[in-house]
Amino acid sequence: AILKEAAPQVIQILPVLGAKYKLPTNKNAEHVSQGLWLAAHFRKDAPDFLKTVPELVASVPSVAKNMTASEVSTSLWAAENLKESAPEVLEIVPALLSQAIRTTSNMTAENIYSNLLSLAPFHDSLPEAKSLSLKAVAKFTALLSELTADEWRVAAPRVVWAFARLGQRDEVLLNAVAEHLGARRRYWSLNDWSLCALLWSYEVLDPEKSFATFQSQLRKSVKSHGLSEVDVQNSRRGPSQFQPSRPSF
């Protein structure tokens, strides 16, 4: 998977690997999560991996209760990406959501933004997905005083973006992010998507311009980085689908 972009020729061996891949007899939560990830990630390049999906789906009810927050997030991501190729995978989503609720109290900042990205596609079809997202953001807000510099830079923009996608405003979160990233121009360290997504999110969540100064700082930074309003609007689709109008900063 890591070599797929840098060395496209590696794709040629994927069908062979898919045909030979066998699931362990005694599957645990890690095996199931990894198997779902493989099937989703290589569903086009090595469709034989899709043959494992029915067995993986059947295993989820017995192993979901042992999944970590990271394994739940990975499995939810896989379910979203497999729903066209293997629609039966959607059967596992309720069990995954139940486990996600149980692991909320133990989530790290990274777990939270990963889960928020994975839950977003299910907001309209499953009310509990939206409810869980709100709980995850509340947990993140409680962790604000403990965030590392990297978590402020990576996790904070993603959580604010997730809240904007939910259409929910959290004053504590918006204040904290604006104060921290606005101080000493820390927003300059954000990557292209984070910068654009943060500006898009504040515009969505703050139409009254209560954070006009921070929004102005972000907009100037967007322009300085060679990004455009089109990039700002496109950031709403998420980091994995974001393509800046010029090489990434």
Side-chain angles (χ1 to χ4, degrees):
I2 295 173
L3 289 172
K4 187 176 176 182
E5 300 298 329
Q9 60 270 28
V10 77
I11 293 175
Q12 297 173 11
I13 69 171
L14 291 177
V16 177
L17 293 176
K20 292 182 177 294
Y21 179 73
K22 301 295 182 185
L23 291 168
T25 302
N26 298 314
K27 293 177 286 300
N28 59 28
E30 183 180 8
H31 294 146
V32 172
S33 175
Q34 289 178 345
L36 288 167
W37 182 88
L38 282 169
H41 198 81
F42 297 121
R43 63 191 182 279
K44 296 179 181 177
D45 299 321
D48 275 332
F49 278 114
L50 292 171
K51 295 177 182 178
T52 65
V53 173
E55 187 177 347
L56 291 166
V57 168
S59 300
V60 168
S62 62
V63 304
K65 61 182 181 297
N66 297 318
M67 283 186 174
T68 64
S70 178
E71 289 165 348
V72 170
S73 176
T74 296
S75 300
L76 283 169
W77 174 87
E80 165 62 14
N81 285 275
L82 285 169
K83 66 183 182 183
E84 300 297 332
S85 304
E88 67 270 26
V89 78
L90 294 177
E91 297 172 15
I92 70 176
V93 174
L96 295 175
L97 290 179
S98 295
Q99 177 61 5
I101 292 171
R102 286 191 287 270
T103 60
T104 299
S105 60
N106 297 319
M107 283 184 182
T108 63
E110 182 178 358
N111 293 151
I112 290 169
Y113 76 67
S114 294
N115 268 322
L116 287 169
L117 290 174
S118 301
L119 289 166
F122 301 104
H123 287 161
D124 293 335
S125 57
L126 294 169
E128 56 266 45
K130 186 171 183 177
S131 175
L132 180 56
S133 293
L134 294 174
K135 289 181 180 178
V137 174
K139 171 65 175 178
F140 185 82
T141 303
L143 291 174
L144 286 172
S145 62
E146 305 170 20
L147 296 185
T148 65
D150 282 345
E151 287 170 339
W152 274 109
R153 181 175 53 82
V154 177
R158 295 186 180 214
V159 173
V160 175
W161 168 82
F163 233 39
R165 288 293 302 268
L166 284 164
Q168 299 287 331
R169 177 186 172 107
D170 185 295
E171 200 72 22
V172 173
L173 178 64
L174 293 178
N175 266 310
V177 171
E179 287 181 9
H180 182 87
L181 293 180
R184 297 196 293 276
R185 302 204 307 176
R186 291 189 179 102
Y187 52 84
W188 278 88
S189 66
L190 299 177
N191 64 25
D192 287 345
W193 178 82
S194 294
L195 183 59
C196 290
L198 205 53
L199 177 55
W200 175 80
S201 300
Y202 271 81
E203 289 179 340
V204 169
L205 295 172
D206 183 37
E208 302 87 1
K209 303 298 182 185
S210 300
F211 299 93
T213 299
F214 184 52
Q215 290 184 47
S216 177
Q217 291 173 324
L218 292 175
R219 187 163 293 285
K220 288 178 181 177
S221 187
V222 163
K223 185 176 180 179
S224 296
H225 287 185
L227 299 164
S228 68
E229 179 61 25
V230 171
D231 294 317
V232 172
Q233 296 304 315
N234 286 342
S235 68
R236 70 176 303 278
R237 296 181 295 179
S240 64
Q241 298 184 49
F242 181 70
Q243 292 292 332
S245 54
R246 57 113 184 94
S248 185
F249 176 76

